[in-house]
Amino acid sequence: MDMSDELSDLEEVEKLCQRLVVRAIYDYLPNALKIFSEETDNVADVAEDLTREALDKLGMSRINLRLYGKIDYKQAIVIFLTEREVEVALFIDSKAEKDDNTATLQMSQTTMEVRQKRAGQDVGIKGELPILVEKSGKALQTVTIIVKYVYDDANQIKNLVKIVVACIPSGVFQDKYNPNPEKSIWLAGRNAYSLGEDFRVRLAFKKLADVSSWRVRIIDANITKT
């Protein structure tokens, strides 16, 4: 397999993982709408629960291997390509906010290096997730996905408006998505990096979609209300 074929397979695995997550969220949407409006817990905790419940209900080809990391959903799975199987370390971070434009990440939640300008200076901060998770004699392809529950709270009731499912590119695609601070899918995070606070970055959904439209899927919560 030459390099172009290998990169094509890596991207195909990311696509298939995202399709799996989108299907799970879509199928679970009627439940999610009811739970989100009635639950009294913190919305971020509710979002984590909804994603986990949706994926558990759909089911996946799981591998009996424990993953570690600062992401709320972690699962070793098998993805089936046309001619081979790929073992995947699937990491999913769930969020719930009123803003539908970005998602805030810690560097422990991406395999990419973030190259951007901060306070007029070029910075390059490496992601802490490995491109391949090597464990128990296996090398699993890392796939990272954001599930963002966008809501409003008119009349003191939390209503889901849409759900954004975004697949963060693997670090192997650095040159395509963020080769330098001028060409970037990132916005500055809500932190004072110059004051020593933990570096955070915001994934800009539009910037990501402008490079590859398939990486950002939007599920309209109103589709179940007709």
Side-chain angles (χ1 to χ4, degrees):
M1 180 183 295
D2 62 28
M3 181 61 69
S4 61
D5 289 338
E6 184 176 353
L7 291 177
S8 178
D9 276 2
L10 290 173
E11 190 170 56
E12 185 64 20
V13 169
E14 291 183 322
K15 287 182 180 180
L16 291 173
C17 287
Q18 186 192 36
R19 287 173 62 186
L20 182 153
V21 175
V22 169
R23 179 57 188 262
I25 298 297
Y26 182 86
D27 286 353
Y28 199 66
L29 186 55
N31 306 76
L33 287 166
K34 185 174 188 297
I35 293 168
F36 203 90
S37 64
E38 296 177 353
E39 187 57 69
T40 58
D41 286 348
N42 181 282
V43 288
D45 295 333
V46 175
E48 293 179 12
D49 290 343
L50 291 178
T51 299
R52 181 169 51 254
E53 291 163 12
L55 289 166
D56 287 347
K57 185 173 183 179
L58 179 69
M60 294 178 288
S61 297
R62 299 171 184 256
I63 301 172
N64 187 24
L65 190 67
R66 185 174 178 81
L67 300 177
Y68 298 91
K70 297 179 180 178
I71 297 182
D72 50 84
Y73 185 93
K74 305 171 284 288
Q75 183 63 55
I77 64 173
V78 178
I79 292 294
F80 299 92
L81 300 181
T82 302
E83 297 183 353
R84 67 187 184 99
E85 302 170 2
V86 179
E87 294 178 330
V88 170
L90 179 62
F91 294 92
I92 302 174
D93 190 49
S94 299
K95 302 179 182 297
E97 295 177 345
K98 298 177 183 179
D99 164 54
D100 64 353
N101 297 313
T102 66
T104 301
L105 279 70
Q106 302 175 50
M107 297 313 295
S108 59
Q109 298 174 324
T110 181
T111 65
M112 294 190 73
E113 179 179 342
V114 173
R115 300 171 182 171
Q116 62 178 190
K117 288 187 179 295
R118 288 285 182 102
Q121 301 294 318
D122 291 353
V123 299
I125 308 295
K126 292 184 178 297
E128 296 173 11
L129 278 178
I131 291 173
L132 292 175
V133 173
E134 297 184 4
K135 190 173 182 182
S136 301
K138 297 179 181 293
L140 289 76
Q141 178 182 337
T142 300
V143 176
T144 51
I145 292 175
I146 297 292
V147 179
K148 183 164 187 179
Y149 296 81
V150 181
Y151 71 98
D152 63 37
D153 54 4
N155 301 318
Q156 287 71 55
I157 298 175
K158 298 188 296 294
N159 296 300
L160 272 180
V161 176
K162 66 181 71 169
I163 304 169
V164 182
V165 182
C167 183
I168 304 172
S170 167
V172 300
F173 301 115
Q174 185 79 44
D175 289 344
K176 180 177 180 179
Y177 292 91
N178 183 208
N180 53 58
E182 285 69 38
K183 182 179 180 182
S184 179
I185 58 174
W186 312 108
L187 299 174
R190 297 181 178 92
N191 67 290
Y193 180 57
S194 61
L195 298 180
E197 294 182 6
D198 288 344
F199 187 89
R200 286 181 171 81
V201 67
R202 286 181 294 155
L203 175 67
F205 297 138
K206 184 178 186 306
K207 286 177 176 287
L208 179 59
D210 284 346
V211 182
S212 291
S213 59
W214 68 265
R215 287 191 179 271
V216 180
R217 295 285 303 277
I218 298 175
I219 301 172
D220 183 356
N222 291 306
I223 58 177
T224 65
K225 298 177 183 178
T226 58

